[in-house]
């Protein structure tokens, strides 16, 4: 996945906003909370996203995927797809979509209603 494809995909998810911060990283948020980041690792695009605790344990062992710098060291279940072989584009899209859902479901019911986000976003 390229940075442009990442940004396009994230822009199509419900109620998202985009900012550029943290050393020119593309940061995507839902309800003001981060769900995905595209930054750099050794000059290459690296994609960071939130996962369940089980997915964290399983995927952190995959070549090209690691606990996300800074976030994982603080005890959060975030991973970074930073090198090949890593996740393929479909897998990466699935995990970014799931990250969006995890973060959106962590918002208050009132905030979800304001953003027109259902109580459960279908992950297809």
């Amino acid at each position: 996945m390229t940075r442009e494809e990442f940004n396009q995909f994230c822009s199509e998810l419900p109620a998202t906003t985009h900012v550029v911060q943290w050393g020119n990283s593309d940061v995507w948020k839902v309800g003001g909370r981060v769900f995905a980041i595209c930054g750099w690792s050794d000059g290459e695009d690296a994609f960071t996203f939130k996962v369940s605790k089980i997915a964290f344990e399983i995927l952190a062992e995959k070549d090209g995927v690691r606990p996300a710098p800074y976030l994982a060291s603080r005890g959060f279940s975030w991973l970074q797809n930073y090198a090949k072989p890593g996740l393929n584009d479909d897998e990466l899209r699935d995990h970014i979509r799931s990250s969006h859902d995890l973060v959106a479901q962590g918002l208050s019911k009132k905030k979800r209603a304001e953003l027109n986000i259902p109580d459960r976003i279908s992950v297809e």
Side-chain angles (χ1 to χ4, degrees), residues 1-3 5-7 9 45 47 89-90 92-93 96:
M1 177 180 290
T2 66
R3 181 178 286 255
E5 291 167 333
F6 167 83
N7 284 328
F9 179 75
D45 289 336
F47 305 96
D89 288 356
D90 287 337
L92 186 55
R93 278 190 280 281
I96 292 169

Side-chain angles (χ1 to χ4, degrees), residues 60-76:
E61 300 296 320
K62 185 173 177 69
D63 288 340
V65 178
R66 65 182 171 201
Y70 182 77
L71 293 165
S73 68
R74 303 292 186 273
F76 300 114

Side-chain angles (χ1 to χ4, degrees), residues 47-49 51 55-57 59-62 64-82:
F47 305 96
T48 303
F49 48 91
V51 294
F56 183 86
E57 294 301 321
L59 292 173
E61 300 296 320
K62 185 173 177 69
V65 178
R66 65 182 171 201
Y70 182 77
L71 293 165
S73 68
R74 303 292 186 273
F76 300 114
S77 296
W78 283 73
L79 293 173
Q80 185 177 74
N81 189 67
Y82 72 99

Side-chain angles (χ1 to χ4, degrees), residues 27-115:
V27 179
W28 285 90
K29 300 179 181 186
V30 58
R33 296 176 67 192
V34 176
F35 73 90
I37 303 165
C38 180
W40 292 272
S41 174
D42 296 328
E44 297 294 321
D45 289 336
F47 305 96
T48 303
F49 48 91
K50 184 175 185 168
V51 294
S52 69
K53 294 203 180 297
I54 292 170
F56 183 86
E57 294 301 321
I58 294 167
L59 292 173
E61 300 296 320
K62 185 173 177 69
D63 288 340
V65 178
R66 65 182 171 201
Y70 182 77
L71 293 165
S73 68
R74 303 292 186 273
F76 300 114
S77 296
W78 283 73
L79 293 173
Q80 185 177 74
N81 189 67
Y82 72 99
K84 294 194 183 314
L87 301 170
N88 68 40
D89 288 356
D90 287 337
E91 291 170 323
L92 186 55
R93 278 190 280 281
D94 286 345
H95 286 290
I96 292 169
R97 189 179 296 111
S98 293
S99 179
H100 177 275
D101 187 33
L102 285 168
V103 173
Q105 293 307 309
L107 299 172
S108 69
K109 190 169 189 145
K110 179 181 177 184
K111 185 69 168 178
R112 286 194 313 272
E114 287 172 13
L115 297 172

